[in-house]
Amino acid sequence: MRPLLLHAAALLVGLPAMAAPIEIPVAAEGTRPQPGGVATLAEAVAEARRRRARDPRSAITVALSSGTHRLSGAVRFGAQDGGSAGVPLVIRGPADGSASLVGTRRLTPVPLDPALAARLPAAARGRVRAYRLPPALGKAARIQAPIVLNGQPSPPAFEVFDGEGALHPARWPAEGFAKAEDGNGPAFTLANLPPNALRDEPDLWAEGYWRWGWLFEALPVMRAAQNGSGARLTLDRTPYEGIRASAPIRLVHLLAGLDRPGTWWRDATSGTLLAWPRGGEAVEVSVAETLLSVEGASHLRIESLRLAMARGDLVSVRGGHDVVIADSVLSLAGGRGAVITGASASGLQRCDIAGTGAEAVILSGGERRTLTPGGLFLRDSRLTAYARREPTQHPAVALDGVGAEVAGNDIHHSPAYAVHIRGNDHRVTGNEIANLLAGATDTGAIYAGRDWTARGSVIAGNFLHDIRGGADTEVKGVYLDDMASGFTVTGNLFLRVDQPVFLGGGRDNTIEGNVFVASSPAIHVDSRGQTWARDAVSDPQSELRAAYAAMPVESAVWRARYPRLPGLLYDRPAVATGNAITDNVLVLSDPPRFTDGGQAAEQTLARNRSPAKSRADLETLARTSHDPADFAGLAEGAGLRLPTIPSGRMRRSSTGVPFGR
């Protein structure tokens, strides 16, 4: 044995020694750098780059001290940054989450101009404070860009924050919406405005649900003529498909609406911000468009940080490999929390994401033409209060490309949906999704549609509950809209969900082994391609047909993966057919419904039944329970073998903030 050990030691002598780990401390605001440390995160990244160039095998950690680290612009990571396999570059705060990276500037109060004070609503006098904005913000042409269907992401000029979170621009009415009448192109009428509400308002906006309940748009007002308590207003463009009678809208950024805490208004002439903060006078405005911008870097970790208050997205990752955000809080973005596009094997885990202006997370990776997965992920995180500025078309998680995973997350309390699926072979598993879509209509908690080729995604083992419409609205659970095809929905529990699985004209979907409790109708199937949506199928220029033409469905890899897809246009494409609806348990829920030409004979239906045994308190639990374990035994004796819903993982991922887990 001794000669063997000596021989091994002799071999190791020729190997380069592993470099000692390197830590680069970063001082917080108001403190001095410690020996060997630096004053800013940008300086630390530059130092890490120099160290890595000298020794590529170094294990480098950038350690942010407890406190606030304030940015005026993005800290950038390029292809020369990052680490190597097994030795990533780590950007880390203390484990208790006491390091905050923010993109704001504090404002100092200034005297309130008497002319502006005289225009304030009576309730605001003596309570509103004035602040001098940085020149670029005070003189910006508009406070924001229009919010329109399929518009490009564009951050607001700034947002305003106090100790309780984001303030919103002053608006009328302060709660709810008014009714737009007499819509004609971009013009409409409002009644019952406060006196002189529209005087001297050069940056006035109108926002709301102009035509459809699934589309919120915000547009600048170009002309406003007030006559008594009524007014005729003209927008800078006609909202999508016009203005319907009694459309719910509100006016935004008018001084007459500055009548309660949590609101603000900007006077562009003087560059002054008027704000009514909630407690004290401390106010901050966002100046950094993005906090962390990663372009082509690989093997990077961002851990135990609080990232907050950027004008746009908090973190942007484009390209690269193995970039992971973990155990962090991302909050109060004007845009999105984290946007990961074109990267591989990257994502977020054990994070809290709240208060984003649009989506919480975007994952877009992989190559659809070759069906190469990107390996992006969002795991064991909590997402809430997202879509704060743009409450429609901006889900908690938007998936595109191939092979992303959304697993073990708690997604709750937002006006928008939870997951939007584009592309192929994604997995949405083991998530708890609840209390969404309040006030929305014709939308769903998990949504996909308008693409026959976006197949192969699995929605499995999720717990969806308390997703219901109102008297004038209707929502869905899993909404496979406008011919969405080739999805698998299996092993999910739907509790108090309206229209929990909705198949809107699609084919080749598998709906099996789900439990529906107080959720009706359990499954909806229509064949809209034969009725009101026939043009989407027959018109070669339609969005549906264009998506089909864009993919190489005749290629060998696509034929092997989706054998029913190549000949679709010659196989009654307008007909909803080939859907398998089997082995589902229906409790206090109506059976499958077929409308708009949908026919049971075109599908496979088998073994969908009520429970063989029913506990005495089942109806009470169906009304009040929030625990998936209460419904775990409903398939017993039914002759069905349902997948197990991973409720234990849901419970773990939904308790506490990352730093307390």
Side-chain angles (χ1 to χ4, degrees):
M1 180 65 71
R2 183 179 179 84
L4 288 175
L5 290 173
L6 290 173
H7 178 64
L11 291 175
L12 289 173
V13 169
L15 293 178
M18 288 293 291
I22 297 169
E23 181 172 290
I24 304 172
V26 183
E29 182 180 59
T31 66
R32 292 184 177 181
Q34 59 183 275
V38 296
T40 68
L41 177 56
E43 292 175 18
V45 173
E47 177 63 19
R49 187 179 303 145
R50 289 189 287 270
R51 299 283 191 102
R52 183 77 68 191
R54 291 199 294 266
D55 185 354
R57 303 179 67 218
S58 297
I60 301 176
T61 297
V62 173
L64 279 74
S65 302
S66 295
T68 298
H69 299 259
R70 200 174 298 276
L71 302 177
S72 59
V75 175
R76 302 188 180 278
F77 300 81
Q80 72 274 34
D81 299 311
S84 57
V87 192
L89 172 64
V90 179
I91 312 297
R92 176 185 294 158
D96 63 359
S98 56
S100 297
L101 197 62
V102 302
T104 57
R105 180 183 296 185
R106 289 193 179 124
L107 299 182
T108 302
V110 298
L112 177 58
D113 184 329
L116 292 177
R119 292 177 54 196
L120 286 171
R125 292 171 187 167
R127 295 176 172 87
V128 165
R129 300 289 181 263
Y131 305 84
R132 183 74 61 210
L133 285 165
L137 308 184
K139 300 297 185 179
R142 295 194 178 281
I143 60 167
Q144 64 183 31
I147 298 171
V148 296
L149 181 64
N150 298 325
Q152 292 297 312
S154 183
F158 60 90
E159 287 196 285
V160 183
F161 306 93
D162 62 11
E164 295 187 23
L167 288 71
H168 63 77
R171 60 197 185 200
W172 179 90
E175 302 293 338
F177 295 90
K179 294 180 179 180
E181 302 292 357
D182 304 320
N184 182 12
F188 64 98
T189 298
L190 282 179
N192 301 317
L193 284 161
N196 300 314
L198 307 183
R199 190 187 75 183
D200 296 331
E201 294 290 358
D203 194 13
L204 180 66
W205 291 73
E207 63 183 24
Y209 302 86
W210 300 93
R211 187 72 181 187
W212 306 108
W214 50 265
L215 180 60
F216 178 93
E217 292 180 288
L219 298 167
V221 175
M222 304 305 292
R223 291 188 299 277
Q226 189 166 356
N227 183 9
S229 65
R232 187 71 175 171
L233 300 100
T234 302
L235 306 170
D236 81 330
R237 71 193 75 179
T238 301
Y240 179 72
E241 297 191 346
I243 303 173
R244 63 183 167 93
S246 299
I249 69 99
R250 62 191 173 210
L251 299 180
V252 174
H253 195 237
L254 71 168
L255 192 54
L258 189 57
D259 61 356
R260 62 195 58 211
T263 57
W264 61 267
W265 178 86
R266 181 199 63 163
D267 178 36
T269 302
S270 62
T272 302
L273 176 78
L274 303 188
W276 190 339
R278 293 158 291 192
E281 293 187 343
V283 161
E284 302 183 20
V285 295
S286 52
V287 293
E289 182 170 340
T290 302
L291 301 185
L292 303 179
S293 177
V294 182
E295 296 272 356
S298 295
H299 307 297
L300 174 65
R301 299 288 181 272
I302 299 164
E303 301 175 349
S304 300
L305 287 175
R306 296 180 183 271
L307 301 108
M309 298 183 291
R311 291 175 48 231
D313 305 330
L314 295 174
V315 182
S316 171
V317 179
R318 290 180 171 82
H321 174 77
D322 184 31
V323 178
V324 180
I325 306 167
D327 301 300
S328 294
V329 172
L330 292 81
S331 64
L332 296 176
R336 290 79 60 96
V339 178
I340 302 178
T341 59
S344 60
S346 301
L348 300 92
Q349 57 193 26
R350 300 182 305 276
C351 289
D352 271 5
I353 308 164
T356 56
E359 293 92 342
V361 175
I362 290 180
L363 301 176
S364 178
E367 173 52 58
R368 289 196 68 198
R369 298 187 68 82
T370 60
L371 295 178
T372 302
L376 304 183
F377 57 85
L378 171 67
R379 301 179 183 134
D380 298 313
S381 297
R382 180 168 55 192
L383 301 89
T384 187
Y386 52 90
R388 173 175 54 83
R389 296 182 60 248
E390 305 182 52
T392 62
Q393 310 295 311
H394 296 280
V397 193
L399 304 179
D400 205 347
V402 183
E405 178 191 33
V406 178
N409 304 290
D410 184 11
I411 305 175
H412 63 96
H413 289 94
S414 171
Y417 38 90
V419 184
H420 189 180
I421 301 174
R422 296 184 178 93
N424 299 81
D425 301 342
H426 304 301
R427 293 187 61 82
V428 179
T429 63
N431 304 283
E432 182 167 354
I433 299 172
N435 299 108
L436 302 179
L437 308 176
T441 193
D442 190 21
T443 187
I446 300 176
Y447 181 90
R450 300 187 182 183
D451 189 350
W452 281 311
T453 72
R455 297 184 170 222
S457 291
V458 175
I459 301 166
N462 302 286
F463 176 31
L464 286 82
H465 64 92
D466 298 292
I467 299 168
R468 316 212 91 152
D472 302 316
T473 60
E474 56 94 16
V475 298
K476 291 94 169 172
V478 175
Y479 190 3
L480 302 183
D481 194 16
D482 290 344
M483 279 60 82
S485 301
F487 284 76
T488 297
V489 182
T490 181
N492 303 284
L493 170 60
F494 298 91
L495 173 64
R496 299 185 296 271
V497 177
D498 290 352
Q499 304 178 98
V501 178
F502 194 101
L503 307 184
R507 50 176 53 203
D508 306 327
N509 296 294
T510 298
I511 316 300
E512 67 175 5
N514 302 285
V515 177
F516 301 91
V517 180
S519 300
S520 294
I523 299 159
H524 166 102
V525 181
D526 66 52
S527 193
R528 62 187 61 186
Q530 295 178 280
T531 57
W532 58 268
R534 60 173 61 89
D535 288 349
V537 175
S538 60
D539 182 0
Q541 306 302 315
S542 72
E543 181 180 353
L544 183 69
R545 292 283 295 272
Y548 185 83
M551 288 296 108
V553 299
E554 299 286 352
S555 69
V557 65
W558 276 73
R559 281 183 170 275
R561 181 72 179 90
Y562 311 119
R564 295 176 61 87
L565 192 55
L568 184 146
L569 294 180
Y570 306 98
D571 182 23
R572 303 183 301 153
V575 179
T577 187
N579 298 298
I581 302 171
T582 61
D583 298 302
N584 299 289
V585 176
L586 283 66
V587 182
L588 306 173
S589 302
D590 295 339
R593 174 182 69 189
F594 298 87
T595 67
D596 278 319
Q599 296 184 30
E602 291 283 356
Q603 329 304 329
T604 298
L605 282 85
R607 299 176 303 281
N608 300 297
R609 60 191 66 176
S610 299
K613 301 176 182 178
S614 182
R615 50 191 294 178
D617 60 348
L618 184 57
E619 290 195 19
T620 299
L621 290 173
R623 291 194 307 271
T624 62
S625 175
H626 296 86
D627 189 347
D630 286 337
F631 307 95
L634 289 175
E636 292 177 4
L640 307 178
R641 295 183 63 186
L642 303 183
T644 300
I645 295 174
S647 57
R649 183 179 189 182
M650 296 174 191
R651 299 293 105 180
R652 286 196 302 274
S653 68
S654 63
T655 56
V657 299
F659 312 111
R661 289 177 184 163

